[in-house]
Amino acid sequence: AKSLGGNCCQTFEPSFQEKMQLRMTIERHLRKAIELNELSLHYQPQIDTLNGRIVGFECLVRWDNSELGRVSPATFIPVAEETGLIYDIGEWALREGCLQNKRWQDEGIIHVPVAVNLSPSQFYDQKLKERIESVLAETGLDPAYLVLEITEGMTMHVQGSIAALKDLKALGVSIAIDDFGIGYSSLSYLKEFPIDKLKIDQSFVRGMKDHPINTAIVHAVQSMASCLGLDVIAEGVETEEQVEMLTELGCRTMQGYLFSFPIVAAQVPELSRNYANV
Ligand code: C2E
Ligand code: CA
Ligand code: CA
Ligand code: CA
């Protein structure tokens, strides 16, 4: 029975038990997601706004389950992390992204890198390098056309992460720092780490209009990156006004709904034609 006179908002929030139930339901279905073919990748283009060309795609996993419907990666990736399912799901996404990119290249559809997201457990996995190496060998994708997206937090506090990154880079792949700016990176971090790109988190892009501090942060990131020879990608670009502000700040590579939602592979040929990439 519900107790009266308690917290008025209690009834609107799922209880701890309900959250645990949902988490277990997700886990139960997620265990079978790969074999049941429920996972797919969507691809979101990254645009060089100076010449209007597509310069890359980010691979974003999608999960459609018969009982749960489409579940957001923001919901199931954390569950996959906690349960260890992320190793298989992450490797599936890596293989699928590499395979698809190789296909696009072979078919003359588009010749740009794809970026795959790595979770913390994947990054800490001793076998990561081997796994990537074998996926590259299996799919025949040139490593120069694979970007690994990791977050700041994953590398910050870990002894040996510089060595781990150098090890990965020795494969010939590139490293991008995802959601850059919301962690705790310092200039010295950027100088020490063997990385190639910074992805400016969408919260800064969104906040530029109303809070000048966001513009200042984007500006600072952009100038640091230029000094260090790093590429910058602004994420979550939704308006022309944001394009103008970012351009003013010297940022030319952008990703966001203004250009395209994440799309299925079958839509990529037409998108590439529209962006005059072929
Ligand atoms: P993320 O890596 O920061 O990915 C960007 C997210 O922003 C994606 O959400 C994308 O659909 C969304 N987005 C892109 N453009 C815009 C825009 O203009 N406006 C707004 N509001 N959003 C935009 P999505 O696909 O739901 O992915 C959420 C998160 O799930 C990703 O954040 C990433 O952390 C994780 N994720 C997705 N796929 C994978 C994967 O294969 N492996 C791992 N480990 N994580 C993944
Ligand atoms: Ca990402
Ligand atoms: Ca991001
Ligand atoms: Ca994010």
Side-chain angles (χ1 to χ4, degrees), residues 58 117 149 178-179 199-202 235:
E58 178 174 3
N117 290 284
E149 291 195 6
D178 201 1
D179 303 343
K199 297 190 76 177
I200 296 180
D201 189 64
Q202 36 186 291
E235 284 195 279

Side-chain angles (χ1 to χ4, degrees), residues 44 58 60-62 73 77 93 117-119 122 178-179 202 206 235-238 256-257 262:
Q44 189 176 35
E58 178 174 3
L60 295 155
V61 70
R62 296 290 176 261
I77 293 288
N117 290 284
L118 288 189
S119 284
Q122 286 178 279
D178 201 1
D179 303 343
Q202 36 186 291
R206 200 168 307 132
E235 284 195 279
V237 178
E238 295 179 351
Y257 295 166

Side-chain angles (χ1 to χ4, degrees), residues 25-34 38-39 63 65 68 76-77 79-80 83 85 89:
T25 308
I26 289 174
E27 179 182 344
R28 183 161 48 83
H29 287 290
L30 197 54
R31 286 194 182 280
K32 296 177 291 183
I34 294 180
E38 294 178 341
L39 297 180
W63 178 30
N65 175 265
L68 301 168
F76 74 80
I77 293 288
V79 177
T83 54
L85 291 168
I89 293 174

Side-chain angles (χ1 to χ4, degrees), residues 200 204-205 208 213-223 246 249:
I200 296 180
F204 301 111
V205 173
M208 280 191 308
I213 183 67
N214 293 291
T215 312
I217 290 169
V218 174
H219 184 61
V221 171
Q222 181 66 54
S223 28
L246 289 164
L249 297 168

Side-chain angles (χ1 to χ4, degrees), residues 12-239:
F12 298 103
E13 268 277 300
S15 68
F16 179 72
Q17 276 92 341
E18 283 166 330
K19 283 185 192 160
M20 288 306 289
Q21 271 297 328
L22 179 62
R23 195 188 158 288
M24 279 159 63
T25 308
I26 289 174
E27 179 182 344
R28 183 161 48 83
H29 287 290
L30 197 54
R31 286 194 182 280
K32 296 177 291 183
I34 294 180
E35 49 177 309
L36 292 178
N37 247 320
E38 294 178 341
L39 297 180
S40 61
L41 279 191
H42 281 208
Y43 302 87
Q44 189 176 35
Q46 300 165 335
I47 311 296
D48 179 339
T49 54
L50 284 195
N51 62 21
R53 297 288 175 96
I54 296 170
V55 291
F57 285 96
E58 178 174 3
C59 303
L60 295 155
V61 70
R62 296 290 176 261
W63 178 30
D64 294 288
N65 175 265
S66 54
E67 195 177 310
L68 301 168
R70 173 161 291 183
V71 188
S72 161
T75 304
F76 74 80
I77 293 288
V79 177
E81 268 279 308
E82 287 167 39
T83 54
L85 291 168
I86 193 66
Y87 297 106
D88 285 346
I89 293 174
E91 194 169 328
W92 175 87
L94 180 70
R95 181 173 292 109
E96 183 71 14
C98 290
L99 205 60
Q100 185 55 253
N101 201 23
K102 175 74 167 122
R103 224 177 272 147
W104 285 328
Q105 299 188 349
D106 289 348
E107 293 169 4
I109 288 168
I110 192 162
H111 222 88
V112 295
V114 289
V116 173
N117 290 284
L118 288 189
S119 284
S121 333
Q122 286 178 279
F123 183 68
Y124 302 141
D125 178 9
Q126 298 295 320
K127 293 215 168 81
L128 178 64
K129 187 185 179 184
E130 273 173 56
R131 289 176 193 262
I132 295 173
E133 208 165 12
S134 65
V135 167
L136 287 167
E138 257 173 63
T139 59
L141 182 72
D142 176 348
Y145 290 88
L146 177 62
V147 180
L148 304 173
E149 291 195 6
I150 62 175
T151 56
E152 287 171 76
M154 282 156 64
T155 55
M156 278 292 295
H157 310 287
V158 180
Q159 287 286 332
S161 61
I162 294 181
L165 285 171
K166 284 189 175 149
D167 217 31
L168 290 178
K169 285 209 47 137
L171 294 171
V173 303
S174 304
I175 309 284
I177 304 293
D178 201 1
D179 303 343
F180 188 76
I182 61 176
Y184 311 90
S185 302
S186 62
L187 192 62
S188 57
Y189 164 99
L190 287 179
K191 206 182 79 191
E192 298 295 329
F193 277 68
I195 54 178
D196 304 281
K197 294 177 204 222
L198 301 179
K199 297 190 76 177
I200 296 180
D201 189 64
Q202 36 186 291
S203 58
F204 301 111
V205 173
R206 200 168 307 132
M208 280 191 308
K209 186 167 178 265
D210 296 319
H211 305 286
I213 183 67
N214 293 291
T215 312
I217 290 169
V218 174
H219 184 61
V221 171
Q222 181 66 54
S223 28
M224 282 194 305
S226 303
C227 288
L228 296 166
L230 303 174
D231 292 337
V232 173
I233 300 180
E235 284 195 279
V237 178
E238 295 179 351
T239 67

